[in-house]
Amino acid sequence: MSHPIQITMPSVKAVLLLILLALPLRAAEDPRPLSEQERIAVAIVARYLADGRDALWNDLAPTSPFRALPREEALRELATRLGPRERATWTLHTSATDDIAFRVRWPSGYEDALAFRIREGKLESVRSLAEATSRPASPAPAPPKRESVAWLGASVFFIVLAFFFRSRLRLVPIALAAGSLVAGGAMLRLDRAPAKTPARAITVAELRALQPLREALANGRPATLPQNVSAEARQVAALWLLRAGEEAPLGDATGPLAELIRARVALESRDVRAAKAALDRAVLVQRDDLLREAAATLPNDDGMQYVQRMIEIGSRDADAWYTVAARERDLPRAEQLFRMAWQLRPVTREALARDAALLRIVEQRNLALLVGFNAAEEPVAAPRGRKAALALPAGARAFVSGELLRVDLGTAALEIPNGAMHAPATAQSVAATRWSEERDAAAMREAAALLEEKNPPLSPRLEIAVDALAHHNRWRDVLTLTEAITPATAEAPGSLLVYRMIALVREKRVGDARALANGKAIRARMARGGDAPTLVPLAETLASIGEYTTAIAMYHAVQSDQTRELARQRIRELELRHSLTTTFQTLATAHFDVRYAPTINPAIASRIGDLLEAELARLLARFPPMEFRRTAVNVLHWDTFQRDVTGSEHIIGIYDGEITLPFADVQRFNVDIVATITHELTHAIVAQATGDNAPRWFQEGLAQRMELVRDQSNAFSSGRPEEVVPLPLLDTVLENATDPEAIRGAYATALTSIYFLEDHFGPDAPMRLVQAFARGSNTDDALVATLKADATALDPRFREWGATHSMSFATNEKFPYHHWYSPDIDPRIRAGIRFSRRPAPKP
């Protein structure tokens, strides 16, 4: 017996609620899974990287225009486009067209983007980014928005109609059935694969005559524009050269690469409108490699529109998801985006600690366990599932990190974002640091090769090598590789200008540093303005040698919204520093020039000078023999120090080439005041003893270790080793943390690490490290040379030691300045002392 369908108000509301809740879930952006066409293209690239160009012939479609050429000519044509396979890194990118996009990067720093077209399981064509698109791309299968949402809206309409027809029961089933059909159609429309435009023959330029040029650029060798080639090939060659930073005519070239270059030329002329127009033309082909480059080209927030479009096409680029997460103000949504990025490709914990916005998400959404922030080892993120494995050549070695699949094929590598689920069963899960370590090793090999050459040209290859040398504190080698940069040089890459300036200062070539600051290349950048990544470190380096006027001018030239407030604060401080040399009184001791304002009691400056000399004698007895150079000491009122120097209430002394103390109103000196003086003086000694090469963790740890205080806090005193900052991250946290508790924890860990080194490797271990840093070693190089283990290897031993050494650290030395003791301290200074010196737990 049948029963009439009854629709009640609660049931209609429930159905409506379920549909409305489903709408955002169905329309949410997700990284696109690999398509069958992409799987085929990846297999073709893998065969090329493993077996060379001959493997491409059997992969060509019968309709490929390359089939019209003799076999040898066709293979040369393909090899020219694909470039040398040795030491190349290929990365699959997301495309919203029927092109399969790859980015190729060679060790020289030169890179190109390639578009594959697959037809019936074979390779139809390959186009370089420098080639003009010969026909409009097929419509982009963008995430469901207008039509799909309209279908869903129609389904909601029919269900609502059923509600209003509830009094006519025979019409209700009709309305519900119509709504169900429409909703079903909407779901199918959302889920089905985008329709492909039937493939057609593509006219391609003949580029095989450019093979020597392609190989020269890929290997970082000098290259010039070839003469006896076709007009089409000549245009492609010009764009390849411009891409590599060489001079060539742009003319009326068309295509994505031509527009990207036009955008950069427009930005150099500060024509942002023209740059945006060129970038919009460049990204008409919706590929996330093009969108990513467009985003990197525009300064500040202007490039975010392109990052957002990457998300909309289902980008598999983890950096896009990290960027959107960092900009998201709604923390739950930011967490969702961060988790997606982390699963796509975990970043190293060091990179995470350097990004304040991402670190905020980790801290405020309790994601420390997810990223293993305080774990003894870098975390390893496994893929979420397994699907049919990709077809890979014999001998391929596969690695996964999150959803990133990387395949090593000889000296080449192929990266497939969101491809880990297609990895072979033999794939090894690795930490994110594996890739950074491999890049560093490769860069140091390039540096060694360049040091064998005479006068290497300014190029991306040189930038990569110099960056690696700077990371290893090899500043003399930096000077050798950047000798081509002189005050007469009109243009030079910003990173090379910065590194050469730092190297000149480190090697005490102050006169050459001043000349470079007034040279053509730096003056041109100041005139253009806005180049904070170059101008800010240049300004800081010049300020360290007293070139305040030039440093202030550089900060004035910075136009970025993100750095404007920093620039204002720093300008105030530099102006104060400049005035110290002209308006302040100077009291000279044997090793110090104590500068103080006329409003300050000279007896205070004298007492600070006496303390500095006494502590210098005590400290130098512990260091390897050295000659201490005269050092300026600035004595300020607390208000001036807090407002114009630090901008913080939690800092009570600084050393940045000069010692600055807010003790103008302290008439007598207790233990905490003397400890601050000792702390900053230790920084000066370590900086001079190591040529400014000592890392931050060592500087801060040793400076605290030398303080004459009764006891100090042990980082392991909480009894939770998992909360202690890992040794490999200590420098990064000290340099980038903004949370007061995180800063205090990092300082405690730095101090504890010094006690660990003394106890584990002997009382002279810190001083042996001083000598290693003086030879130009960075943290890991010095630790390996001195203690036979790097920071990663030491960290588990450090934690094991901490489990049995969690008591506070007591100072055995007597405080020799009791007759200078007085509690009469500005209460604001006392608050700063309480912050910086958390009371150690009682034994």
Side-chain angles (χ1 to χ4, degrees):
M1 181 177 176
S2 63
H3 297 276
I5 299 175
Q6 295 185 359
I7 306 295
T8 64
M9 176 79 82
S11 61
V12 170
K13 286 183 176 179
V15 172
L16 286 174
L17 180 61
L18 287 173
I19 291 176
L20 292 173
L21 286 174
L23 279 173
L25 294 176
R26 297 296 301 174
E29 305 99 339
D30 283 311
R32 188 176 300 176
L34 264 63
S35 68
E36 183 59 29
Q37 304 286 74
E38 288 172 322
R39 288 171 58 93
I40 293 169
V42 164
I44 291 172
V45 171
R47 284 193 288 272
Y48 168 67
L49 295 178
D51 302 323
R53 66 176 195 170
D54 290 345
L56 297 170
W57 183 253
N58 291 333
D59 285 320
L60 281 179
T63 55
S64 170
F66 302 122
R67 286 284 186 184
L69 297 171
R71 184 179 188 276
E72 181 61 25
E73 295 300 301
L75 293 179
R76 278 189 61 204
E77 192 69 41
L78 288 165
T80 299
R81 283 174 161 74
L82 272 56
R85 59 194 176 105
E86 292 79 11
R87 299 188 298 161
T89 299
W90 286 62
T91 303
L92 177 69
H93 279 270
T94 311
S95 174
T97 72
D98 45 10
D99 285 335
I100 312 302
F102 290 95
R103 173 75 64 167
V104 189
R105 183 178 179 87
W106 288 275
S108 65
Y110 179 72
E111 57 184 47
D112 193 11
L114 299 172
F116 283 37
R117 187 69 56 86
I118 303 297
R119 183 177 184 183
E120 297 180 358
K122 294 288 187 176
L123 180 61
E124 174 76 9
S125 68
V126 180
R127 291 197 312 278
S128 164
L129 193 64
E131 295 179 78
T133 305
S134 58
R135 66 178 178 84
S138 59
K145 288 191 180 290
R146 298 170 184 165
E147 286 189 336
S148 300
V149 172
W151 277 61
L152 288 175
S155 65
V156 173
F157 169 77
F158 279 111
I159 294 172
V160 172
L161 195 64
F163 168 74
F164 285 109
F165 285 158
R166 67 188 185 279
S167 59
R168 301 183 181 183
L169 295 179
R170 284 179 295 179
L171 296 178
V172 170
I174 297 173
L176 281 175
S180 299
L181 287 173
V182 174
M187 294 302 106
L188 287 173
R189 192 175 186 87
L190 289 173
D191 291 338
R192 75 184 184 195
K196 294 293 184 183
T197 302
R200 295 179 287 183
I202 301 173
T203 303
V204 294
E206 296 188 37
L207 306 180
R208 54 191 178 278
L210 304 181
Q211 190 170 19
L213 172 68
R214 186 71 146 167
E215 292 180 353
L217 293 173
N219 291 300
R221 296 196 302 268
T224 57
L225 190 66
Q227 299 300 319
N228 300 320
V229 296
S230 67
E232 285 183 311
R234 185 176 175 83
Q235 177 178 294
V236 169
L239 291 173
W240 283 351
L241 285 164
L242 288 166
R243 176 73 156 181
E246 303 288 345
E247 291 187 5
L250 178 58
D252 57 355
T254 59
L257 181 54
E259 298 302 340
L260 288 171
I261 292 171
R262 283 195 180 91
R264 296 193 174 182
V265 171
L267 281 179
E268 287 179 0
S269 303
R270 306 183 73 170
D271 189 346
V272 177
R273 180 178 297 179
K276 287 182 178 178
L279 291 175
D280 286 340
R281 292 191 297 270
V283 300
L284 285 175
V285 180
Q286 294 280 288
R287 293 184 355 210
D288 64 1
D289 60 316
L290 293 174
L291 290 165
R292 178 176 181 171
E293 189 158 348
T297 300
L298 280 182
N300 307 330
D301 295 332
D302 294 328
M304 277 303 296
Q305 58 175 310
Y306 301 112
V307 179
Q308 190 59 49
R309 283 159 72 177
M310 292 174 68
I311 300 299
E312 290 172 0
I313 68 169
S315 174
R316 296 180 284 251
D317 188 328
D319 288 337
W321 294 85
Y322 281 120
T323 300
V324 175
R327 298 298 184 97
E328 178 59 56
R329 294 184 179 181
D330 178 61
L331 273 174
R333 173 64 174 161
E335 178 187 350
Q336 180 187 7
L337 292 164
F338 179 88
R339 285 180 177 274
M340 182 66 73
W342 182 263
Q343 185 59 46
L344 277 173
R345 191 201 72 234
V347 295
T348 64
R349 294 178 297 176
E350 180 179 358
L352 189 60
R354 292 187 185 281
D355 193 314
L358 293 180
L359 197 57
R360 172 185 67 97
I361 299 171
V362 171
E363 292 173 346
Q364 297 189 17
R365 299 301 294 178
N366 297 319
L367 301 180
L369 287 178
L370 171 70
V371 303
F373 198 78
N374 289 337
E377 297 180 353
E378 197 82 14
V380 175
R384 289 175 290 189
R386 293 283 184 185
K387 291 187 178 180
L390 293 166
L392 297 175
R397 296 180 300 131
F399 305 90
V400 296
S401 182
E403 295 300 329
L404 173 67
L405 167 63
R406 177 179 165 117
V407 182
D408 287 351
L409 299 133
T411 62
L414 173 58
E415 296 179 343
I416 305 106
N418 211 22
M421 62 184 66
H422 302 284
T426 56
Q428 177 185 353
S429 292
V430 296
T433 47
R434 180 186 178 92
W435 320 128
S436 58
E437 290 166 358
E438 286 188 357
R439 285 192 296 270
D440 180 69
M444 290 300 289
R445 288 194 295 271
E446 286 297 308
L450 284 168
L451 285 166
E452 295 295 322
E453 299 179 14
K454 281 191 175 181
N455 301 318
L458 304 181
S459 65
R461 180 190 180 199
L462 188 66
E463 291 182 72
I464 292 170
V466 168
D467 180 75
L469 289 171
H471 176 68
H472 288 270
N473 284 338
R474 289 176 52 178
W475 297 106
R476 291 183 183 176
D477 289 336
V478 169
L479 288 177
T480 299
L481 289 185
T482 58
E483 284 180 350
I485 300 177
T486 69
T489 304
E491 285 291 339
S495 65
L496 294 183
L497 285 171
V498 170
Y499 284 134
R500 181 158 183 84
M501 181 68 74
I502 294 173
L504 288 170
V505 172
R506 291 287 185 96
E507 294 300 313
K508 306 298 185 293
R509 291 171 54 179
V510 175
D512 291 335
R514 292 192 180 106
L516 182 62
N518 291 292
K520 293 181 179 179
I522 292 179
R523 288 295 171 184
R525 287 179 177 272
M526 291 174 63
R528 290 195 297 267
D531 187 6
T534 300
L535 295 179
V536 169
L538 281 173
E540 291 301 311
T541 306
L542 289 168
S544 71
I545 57 173
E547 290 295 305
Y548 299 118
T549 302
T550 306
I552 290 169
M554 287 181 176
Y555 270 111
H556 277 300
V558 174
Q559 302 296 323
S560 167
D561 291 338
Q562 282 80 7
T563 57
R564 185 168 288 120
E565 185 52 42
L566 167 66
R568 289 172 180 165
Q569 169 66 31
R570 194 64 175 131
I571 286 170
R572 286 196 298 268
E573 180 180 353
L574 293 175
E575 288 175 342
L576 171 64
R577 290 294 183 88
H578 187 52
S579 71
L580 292 177
T581 61
T582 56
T583 63
F584 274 37
Q585 306 290 330
T586 300
L587 184 149
T589 70
H591 297 93
F592 303 95
D593 292 318
V594 183
R595 300 189 295 216
Y596 59 99
T599 57
I600 298 175
N601 186 343
I604 296 176
S606 178
R607 182 53 53 86
I608 289 175
D610 293 341
L611 280 169
L612 285 165
E613 290 291 351
E615 281 296 273
L616 178 64
R618 182 179 71 88
L619 295 175
L620 287 181
R622 302 188 173 197
F623 278 79
M626 62 172 290
E627 183 179 347
F628 185 81
R629 297 187 302 275
R630 293 192 68 81
T631 299
V633 181
N634 307 308
V635 182
L636 305 177
H637 293 285
W638 171 258
D639 288 336
T640 303
F641 180 80
Q642 190 271 332
R643 182 187 66 244
D644 295 336
V645 178
T646 66
S648 169
E649 297 179 353
H650 298 148
I651 300 173
I652 54 173
I654 62 171
Y655 172 77
D656 55 1
E658 299 177 352
I659 296 172
T660 303
L661 303 166
F663 297 155
D665 302 312
V666 175
Q667 297 179 5
R668 296 182 184 177
F669 296 83
N670 68 11
V671 171
D672 288 324
I673 294 295
V674 174
T676 301
I677 293 172
T678 304
H679 186 105
E680 305 308 330
L681 176 57
T682 304
H683 281 315
I685 295 172
V686 173
Q688 291 190 25
T690 64
D692 280 332
N693 283 332
R696 180 75 179 273
W697 71 269
F698 185 79
Q699 278 269 10
E700 298 299 347
L702 195 58
Q704 293 175 88
R705 176 70 177 88
M706 296 300 175
E707 295 173 6
L708 290 173
V709 294
R710 189 185 64 175
D711 52 23
Q712 293 172 301
S713 181
N714 186 328
F716 293 103
S717 61
S718 67
R720 294 191 292 270
E722 67 276 7
E723 294 183 357
V724 175
V725 181
L727 292 181
L729 292 185
L730 192 49
D731 245 18
T732 305
V733 174
L734 283 166
E735 291 170 358
N736 297 277
T738 57
D739 178 67
E741 284 301 317
I743 295 171
R744 186 149 48 192
Y747 269 77
T749 304
L751 170 66
T752 306
S753 71
I754 299 297
Y755 277 101
F756 161 70
L757 294 175
E758 291 178 344
D759 189 60
H760 212 67
F761 297 99
D764 66 334
M767 296 309 154
R768 285 153 52 201
L769 284 174
V770 166
Q771 294 174 313
F773 293 134
R775 292 192 295 268
S777 299
N778 65 4
T779 290
D780 280 340
D781 294 340
L783 289 173
V784 169
T786 305
L787 311 178
K788 311 305 179 188
D790 62 13
T792 301
L794 279 179
D795 196 65
R797 295 158 70 178
F798 176 50
R799 293 167 187 273
E800 183 181 351
W801 175 87
T804 56
H805 295 76
S806 59
M807 308 300 287
S808 61
F809 302 117
T811 301
N812 296 324
E813 289 185 78
K814 289 185 177 182
F815 183 73
Y817 311 115
H818 281 294
H819 56 292
W820 290 341
Y821 175 84
S822 171
D824 299 330
I825 302 173
D826 186 312
R828 292 166 297 181
I829 297 175
R830 188 178 291 115
I833 291 171
R834 280 199 300 271
F835 172 84
S836 61
R837 308 184 200 290
R838 181 170 53 182
K842 296 296 186 292

